């Protein structure tokens, strides 16, 4: 048994808020959606595409439904609030019928494929309510995507008498949940499949989903840490902090943390790609800001760097693509080489001239990371690259040039940081605790209505929870065709930062001032108690978007 701290005890007693219109007696109202016009998607999802959107309004007790047996999986990286989604499902299905039951499949989709599940009862759930993490049943990154996987999933469902399966995951996991729903429907399998939008990255959102759960808490944790570092920076007045922030591709986390903390520099990967900024452009900009601040007597600063940056820098993207090809085609010869300088020289020889010159210009440890850290498909693991160290090295070199030219005087003392795992399993904020409980409750109602292929959608999230509007939309409607591993496939589109979005425009309005002056904000730790204007408020991104 884990030790229960005072905060854990207090959080265990927290009763998450639900929208006033949401109860097990809520009525499902159906409205037709403006249809996604992609003919290919429509033809790939004949059973689950042409379905209405659903919203739940207050209702009165109708005939008692039969007990339902729900399976649940947690998929991908943890995000604060996952346990509350499970609590919401559990409480709702028990209220629908006290003999309903909930089976948690262990360690992600793998648990469903291998039929490794456990019943989640009131006692087990008790110590997980309002806690962070996915440890109640574990999570995993196994994919549920082939016909064979779908057949195995249906077999497991049958053997456990499941009425429904809830997939708590990101864009990929929900895309696959949608395909499984279509597969089950095409075989008349009596299984309702419902998705729940999860990821700290904040990139599963759009017309129907205002935000994924976990983004709020993770950004608050990182912003607290960044604020603390900034307070240290203005106290010690000697360090430049280069902080890499999690978020595999999209820069939503970096952007939100910038809005919360006002650092001197924030790089946004999507802007780098769109404006075709080179590594040299980025480094020159940072070095100029360091020099300008030094000239004003401020030899300190903060730089936020999104985890996925490197892939968005056009010439680095090309280099990474060429490295993936080279390692795929010459893997044996590469592996046979004994030492790192020989491996680096081997790959450099196979690259085009611009990529070879860029590769050779990189510090050795980064050049090594680019060829050594590969995923199971043999691709470079971009998220593992120490971009914060790479930028420090390059900025330092540039400042030395400026010094030689007489345009910079001063000392540059940089410190690298990486904030990622620190934010994924924090106690969910009140927002995420309430949002997740509502998502779980909504999933149970979609199941009661036998609405398969739906993702839970809760709207009006910047208002008090009592006014939120819960419902669902068919996941197939959120799909588009994308090339994956050389093949066009239907997937839910990943939402990247848009340069005309309200959040980016707000950041753009202030960034020149934040670079020059020291305008740091210190949000402090997440507030779990106190007035709801403070403790329940969600991200600035969401407030600006609404
Ligand atoms: P999901 O997309 O599964 O929510 O995971 C997001 C994430 O936290 C990214 O921000 C990060 O790049 C990645 O997971 C790290 O993955 P892992 O947990 O496998 O190290």
């Amino acid at each position: 048994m884990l030790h229960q701290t005072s905060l854990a005890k207090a959080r265990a007693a927290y009763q998450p808020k639900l929208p006033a219109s949401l109860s097990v007696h809520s009525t499902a109202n159906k409205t037709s959606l403006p249809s996604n016009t992609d003919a290919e998607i429509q033809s790939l999802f004949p059973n689950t595409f042409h379905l209405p959107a659903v919203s739940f309004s207050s209702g009165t007790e109708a005939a008692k439904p039969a007990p339902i047996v729900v399976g649940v999986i947690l998929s991908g990286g943890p995000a604060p609030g996952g346990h509350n989604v499970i609590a919401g499902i559990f409480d709702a299905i028990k209220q629908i019928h006290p003999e309903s039951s909930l089976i948690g499949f262990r360690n992600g989709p793998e648990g469903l494929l291998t039929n490794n599940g456990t019943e989640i009862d009131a006692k087990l759930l008790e110590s997980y309510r309002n806690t962070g993490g996915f440890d109640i049943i574990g999570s995993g990154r196994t994919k549920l995507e082939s016909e064979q996987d779908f057949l195995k999933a249906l077999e497991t469902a049958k053997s456990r008498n499941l009425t429904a399966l809830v997939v708590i995951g990101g864009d990929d996991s929900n895309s696959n949940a949608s395909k499984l729903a279509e597969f089950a429907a095409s075989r008349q399998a009596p299984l309702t499949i419902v998705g729940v939008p999860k990821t700290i990255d904040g990139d599963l959102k759009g017309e129907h989903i205002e935000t994924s759960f976990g983004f709020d808490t993770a950004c608050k944790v990182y912003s607290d840490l960044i604020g603390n570092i900034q307070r240290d920076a203005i106290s010690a007045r000697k360090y430049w902090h280069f902080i890499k922030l999690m978020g595999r591709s999209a820069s939503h986390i970096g952007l939100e943390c910038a809005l919360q903390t006002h650092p001197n520099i924030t790089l946004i990967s999507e802007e780098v790609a769109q404006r075709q900024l080179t590594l040299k452009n980025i480094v020159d900009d940072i070095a100029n800001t360091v020099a300008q601040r030094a000239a004003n007597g401020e030899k300190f600063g903060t730089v936020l760097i999104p985890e996925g940056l490197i892939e968005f820098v056009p010439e680095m993207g090309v280099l990474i693509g060429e490295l993936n090809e080279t390692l795929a085609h010459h893997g044996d010869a590469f592996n046979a080489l004994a030492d790192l300088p020989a491996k680096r020289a081997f790959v450099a020889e196979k690259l085009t001239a611009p990529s070879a010159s860029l590769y050779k210009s990189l510090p050795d440890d980064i050049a090594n990371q680019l060829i050594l850290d590969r995923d199971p498909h043999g691709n470079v693991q971009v998220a593992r690259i120490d971009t914060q160290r790479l930028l420090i090295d390059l900025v330092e070199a540039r400042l030395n040039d400026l010094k030689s030219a007489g345009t910079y005087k001063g000392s540059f003392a940089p410190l690298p940081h990486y904030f990622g795992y620190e934010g994924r399993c924090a106690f969910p904020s009140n927002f995420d605790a309430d949002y997740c409980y509502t998502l779980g409750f909504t999933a149970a109602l979609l199941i009661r209505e036998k609405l398969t292929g739906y993702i839970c959608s809760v709207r009006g999230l910047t208002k008090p929870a009592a006014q939120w509007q819960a419902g669902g939309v068919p996941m197939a409607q959120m799909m588009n065709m994308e090339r994956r591993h050389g093949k066009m496939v239907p997937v839910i589109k990943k939402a990247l930062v848009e340069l005309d979005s309200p959040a980016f425009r707000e950041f753009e309005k202030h960034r020149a001032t934040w670079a020059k002056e020291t305008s740091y904000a210190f949000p402090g730790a997440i507030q779990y108690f106190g007035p709801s204007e403070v403790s329940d408020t969600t991200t600035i991104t969401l407030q600006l978007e609404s």
Side-chain angles (χ1 to χ4, degrees):
M1 182 64 181
L2 298 176
H3 174 69
Q4 276 240 312
T5 61
S6 312
L7 179 65
K9 283 183 199 147
R11 287 312 279 169
Y14 179 75
Q15 178 54 49
K17 299 183 268 306
L18 279 178
S21 56
L22 201 64
S23 77
V24 282
H25 307 310
S26 293
T27 311
N29 309 291
K30 300 183 180 168
T31 44
S32 57
L33 281 166
S35 196
N36 174 337
T37 51
D38 192 322
E40 198 169 358
I41 302 280
Q42 296 192 16
S43 72
L44 288 169
F45 295 88
N47 295 286
T48 54
F49 184 89
H50 295 285
L51 297 173
V54 171
S55 70
F56 292 107
S57 60
S58 309
T60 47
E61 185 159 10
K64 231 187 183 23
I68 45 188
V69 186
V70 178
V72 62
I73 54 175
L74 292 159
S75 185
H83 290 155
N84 271 25
V85 177
I86 293 179
I89 302 172
F90 180 86
D91 291 351
I93 61 169
K94 287 290 186 189
Q95 286 175 40
I96 288 171
H97 196 293
E99 279 161 37
S100 297
S101 56
L102 182 60
I103 312 286
F105 290 96
R106 293 194 185 282
N107 308 326
E110 167 110 40
L112 186 70
L113 296 176
T114 56
N115 200 348
N116 178 10
T118 183
E119 177 156 5
I120 300 175
D121 58 16
K123 188 162 183 331
L124 174 64
L125 198 54
E126 203 178 283
S127 53
Y128 290 97
R129 288 178 187 266
N130 306 307
T131 59
F134 278 6
D135 46 313
I136 186 168
I137 46 173
S139 184
R141 291 201 182 276
T142 314
K143 290 200 188 303
L144 197 60
E145 55 188 354
S146 67
E147 181 164 336
Q148 220 180 0
D149 297 340
F150 294 165
L151 287 169
K152 273 196 198 154
L154 292 189
E155 223 173 87
T156 300
K158 198 165 170 203
S159 76
R160 300 260 185 180
N161 291 323
L162 296 189
T163 332
L165 174 72
V166 179
V167 176
I168 303 173
D171 53 333
D172 240 25
S173 308
N174 279 298
S175 299
N176 290 336
S178 172
K179 291 173 202 169
L180 175 59
E182 179 61 37
F183 184 82
S186 70
R187 300 185 161 232
Q188 277 95 43
L191 184 70
T192 299
I193 290 153
V194 170
V196 175
K198 169 235 73 164
T199 178
I200 62 159
D201 292 3
D203 56 12
L204 174 48
K205 65 172 178 177
E207 200 186 331
H208 307 293
I209 308 292
E210 293 186 2
T211 190
S212 54
F213 80 76
F215 177 67
D216 179 83
T217 309
C219 288
K220 284 174 177 160
V221 171
Y222 303 141
S223 296
D224 175 23
L225 296 173
I226 296 164
N228 296 348
I229 281 183
Q230 294 188 148
R231 194 70 98 172
D232 192 285
I234 51 171
S235 306
R237 306 185 71 80
K238 60 179 178 184
Y239 292 123
W240 266 88
H241 297 272
F242 283 63
I243 306 166
K244 183 170 88 166
L245 291 169
M246 219 178 218
R248 192 191 302 275
S249 307
S251 310
H252 297 293
I253 293 179
L255 182 55
E256 172 63 24
C257 291
L259 294 171
Q260 289 195 27
T261 64
H262 314 171
N264 300 106
I265 299 169
T266 302
L267 302 172
I268 301 293
S269 306
E270 292 84 343
E271 182 183 26
V272 167
Q274 205 158 318
R275 306 217 160 121
Q276 295 278 300
L277 300 178
T278 61
L279 201 51
K280 180 167 177 352
N281 295 146
I282 296 169
V283 168
D284 286 357
D285 266 3
I286 301 175
N288 289 343
T289 303
V290 172
Q292 193 189 22
R293 286 179 60 79
N296 296 340
E298 317 254 81
K299 291 183 188 145
F300 59 88
T302 43
V303 185
L304 302 190
I305 305 155
E307 185 179 71
L309 176 75
I310 214 81
E311 243 179 335
F312 286 74
V313 177
E315 78 268 26
M316 287 298 290
V318 173
L319 168 62
I320 289 166
E322 288 185 24
L323 286 172
N324 285 340
E325 284 288 309
T326 304
L327 295 170
H329 290 116
H330 305 280
D332 292 342
F334 172 83
N335 290 333
L337 293 167
D339 64 3
L340 283 168
K343 283 182 192 279
R344 288 200 302 270
F346 175 82
V347 292
E349 241 175 56
K350 309 270 181 280
L351 301 171
T352 57
S355 291
S357 128
L358 172 62
Y359 184 65
K360 287 182 197 156
S361 75
L362 297 173
D364 285 353
D365 50 348
I366 303 289
N368 291 341
Q369 281 179 346
L370 279 169
I371 53 174
L372 294 181
D373 278 342
R374 282 180 278 153
D375 70 13
H377 306 288
N379 294 330
V380 170
Q381 290 204 285
V382 185
R384 299 257 174 95
I385 294 168
D386 289 333
T387 329
Q388 66 283 30
R389 290 178 200 275
L390 171 66
L391 288 177
I392 285 176
D393 281 0
L394 299 176
V395 168
E396 203 153 33
R398 175 70 189 149
L399 287 171
N400 286 336
D401 291 346
L402 295 181
K403 222 177 230 175
S404 312
T407 47
Y408 167 62
K409 284 195 200 73
S411 52
F412 176 59
L415 288 174
H417 309 266
Y418 171 41
F419 299 151
Y421 299 94
E422 294 83 344
R424 296 203 310 187
C425 287
F427 279 104
S429 61
N430 285 355
F431 172 82
D432 271 327
D434 299 345
Y435 181 38
C436 288
Y437 191 70
T438 301
L439 286 168
F441 212 94
T442 306
L445 292 193
L446 291 169
I447 292 167
R448 184 198 68 187
E449 297 294 315
K450 299 194 172 46
L451 290 166
T452 194
Y454 278 68
I455 189 166
C456 302
S457 155
V458 181
R459 321 288 296 252
L461 292 172
T462 53
K463 297 184 191 147
Q467 295 170 34
W468 292 350
Q469 180 57 61
V473 284
M475 287 186 271
Q477 292 261 350
M478 294 164 60
M479 297 272 189
N480 73 149
M481 298 299 291
E482 281 180 25
R483 184 169 293 281
R484 297 276 168 93
H485 306 298
K487 242 177 51 194
M488 292 303 281
V489 289
V491 286
I492 295 175
K493 195 166 189 258
K494 207 181 253 312
L496 299 179
V497 169
E498 288 177 15
L499 304 195
D500 59 357
S501 65
F504 186 82
R505 276 194 262 122
E506 178 66 16
F507 160 70
E508 212 175 14
K509 223 187 311 171
H510 298 288
R511 67 172 154 188
T513 314
W514 293 347
K516 203 160 93 202
E517 294 167 13
T518 300
S519 333
Y520 301 152
F522 315 103
I526 293 179
Q527 299 300 300
Y528 295 103
F529 308 99
S532 61
E533 313 83 80
V534 179
S535 59
D536 294 359
T537 307
T538 184
T539 57
I540 299 175
T541 303
L542 195 48
Q543 290 175 50
L544 291 168
E545 280 172 356
S546 67

